[in-house]
Amino acid sequence: ELVETALSEYDKCQGEKIKAEEPKWSEVVAKHVDSKLGEVAGNITEVQKVLEDTRNKVQEERDKENRTKNIILYRVPETADGTGREERIKQDKEFCHELIGKALEVDIIENDISTIIKLGKKDKDKCRPILLQFRERSTKNRVMESLFKLRNADTKFRNTSITHDMTKLEREECKEMVEEAKKRQ
């Protein structure tokens, strides 16, 4: 009888140990929920990254679209110091109209150009580029198609360089391609 009681007590003790070691339902659920929340958090982070990438691509495309009517003129002579703002703007307009009308032989009227802006801060040692925005993309295309005529233009226009207005990303890609081409030579 004593042995049976001892065995019974032993079984009871072992049963309690097994019960204590068995995970509780709430613990199992909590672990499962935690793992699923971790997956969801990872998925949310991934979706946020995709959304940000998409926003950046859309912004880049908008920027490209906004620049389709623009060109940039480099090495355009600066106006003399002491010249008023109004006079500088007038001289820049005259230079641009002469360049396009006479040197490139593209027929344009005053309204074909919507904006002429000097880019950057004025520096007496540097010529600032000029942003030229046309009202129509076709006018810009005619100008770009006529660039070969700059070789035979008057001296004051020959040094001028004309390019498409590119986004920051496009400029970086172009710079990389130029550097790569230089390495190949």
Side-chain angles (χ1 to χ4, degrees):
E1 199 171 291
L2 188 60
V3 173
E4 283 180 28
T5 308
L7 282 175
S8 172
E9 285 296 315
Y10 177 77
D11 287 343
K12 218 189 247 184
C13 232
Q14 288 299 330
E16 288 174 8
K17 276 185 181 179
I18 291 172
K19 281 185 181 177
E21 290 175 5
E22 283 181 11
K24 295 183 178 156
W25 179 250
S26 60
E27 291 173 359
V28 171
V29 169
K31 285 181 183 177
H32 186 68
V33 167
D34 285 345
S35 71
K36 289 298 180 186
L37 282 176
E39 289 176 28
V40 168
N43 290 343
I44 288 174
T45 303
E46 192 175 313
V47 167
Q48 285 175 333
K49 185 180 179 210
V50 169
L51 280 173
E52 186 64 28
D53 289 346
T54 304
R55 274 190 209 110
N56 291 341
K57 286 178 185 176
V58 167
Q59 182 60 38
E60 179 73 14
E61 288 303 315
R62 279 188 194 138
D63 198 13
K64 281 182 186 179
E65 182 63 30
N66 290 339
R67 295 169 185 261
T68 58
K69 300 177 195 172
N70 301 352
I71 60 173
I72 306 287
L73 307 176
Y74 294 96
R75 294 187 297 275
V76 174
E78 288 284 340
T79 54
D81 283 340
T83 310
R85 185 176 189 275
E86 305 261 335
E87 184 61 29
R88 285 194 311 263
I89 292 170
K90 182 181 174 192
Q91 287 178 5
D92 289 340
K93 282 184 182 181
E94 287 174 6
F95 181 87
C96 292
H97 280 280
E98 282 182 44
L99 172 69
I100 294 168
K102 292 180 181 174
L104 299 178
E105 300 171 356
V106 175
D107 292 329
I108 62 167
I109 57 174
E110 185 85 23
N111 291 339
D112 285 340
I113 299 174
S114 61
T115 307
I116 298 174
I117 300 173
K118 280 273 194 178
L119 302 174
K121 292 182 180 179
K122 188 168 181 166
D123 185 353
K124 62 182 175 182
D125 298 332
K126 292 184 180 180
C127 293
R128 294 180 292 167
I130 293 180
L131 170 77
L132 222 97
Q133 185 175 46
F134 295 99
R135 295 206 186 281
E136 300 292 326
R137 190 182 302 176
S138 61
T139 308
K140 176 203 172 183
N141 291 341
R142 287 190 321 225
V143 168
M144 296 306 283
E145 290 168 356
S146 301
L147 290 181
F148 69 93
K149 296 177 183 176
L150 276 178
R151 281 186 230 132
N152 301 324
D154 290 344
T155 317
K156 81 178 197 179
F157 300 119
R158 255 189 238 148
N159 202 27
T160 304
S161 174
I162 301 174
T163 65
H164 295 280
D165 185 13
M166 295 185 277
T167 65
K168 185 176 182 178
L169 183 63
E170 289 174 321
R171 287 190 300 268
E172 289 170 2
E173 289 172 356
C174 186
K175 187 177 181 180
E176 288 173 10
M177 287 190 289
V178 167
E179 288 174 11
E180 186 178 318
K182 284 180 182 178
K183 287 179 184 176
R184 288 183 183 176
Q185 290 181 342

